[in-house]
Amino acid sequence: MLPERIRAFTASLVVRTENNEFVWVYDDIHSAATLRADAFKMMLRYSFSSTEICGEFAIIYTDHDGKEYRFYTNQQHQDYDLVRRLYEVAQSSGMRLPF
């Protein structure tokens, strides 16, 4: 389960990415989306846990000083859907669609 500050930050990133304020880089080989902003870097990485037998996300946040923070959620936690939504929005933010 994510700390409240991280959950609120994630929700804000969903809105700001949907409003085209951020464009993420999607890496389909590693199932990851990365955002490089002026004050921070954030990576979302999806994987399937064979131990818990469910999908999970790692959130890797790096602050402006280069300090790295890691947070995790999986399908057994309520905040999983929020992180999954950010991952989907991030993944599609750099897409070029024909119309």
Side-chain angles (χ1 to χ4, degrees):
M1 181 179 255
L2 299 176
E4 179 55 31
R5 289 183 68 201
I6 302 307
R7 193 207 61 74
F9 185 71
T10 301
S12 178
L13 283 172
V14 168
V15 172
R16 294 181 71 176
T17 302
E18 286 178 330
N19 289 332
N20 300 314
E21 291 182 48
F22 296 122
V23 175
W24 297 62
V25 175
Y26 177 63
D27 178 351
D28 61 324
I29 294 172
H30 297 103
S31 300
T34 304
L35 172 64
R36 295 183 197 287
D38 292 336
F40 68 94
K41 175 182 151 185
M42 186 162 168
M43 176 187 287
L44 301 175
R45 186 176 301 140
Y46 173 80
S47 61
F48 186 83
S49 171
S50 57
T51 305
E52 300 201 28
I53 310 172
C54 63
E56 62 185 10
F57 282 102
I59 298 173
I60 304 161
Y61 175 91
T62 307
D63 68 15
H64 64 279
D65 293 326
K67 189 168 184 175
E68 190 175 279
Y69 302 85
R70 292 176 179 256
F71 305 94
Y72 300 91
T73 188
N74 66 33
Q75 287 177 298
Q76 298 172 357
H77 298 287
Q78 291 180 333
D79 49 25
Y80 177 86
D81 287 336
L82 173 64
V83 179
R84 184 182 69 193
R85 177 71 182 146
L86 178 57
Y87 182 77
E88 291 170 351
V89 170
Q91 180 180 356
S92 67
S93 68
M95 289 178 67
R96 295 184 188 209
L97 301 171
F99 52 90

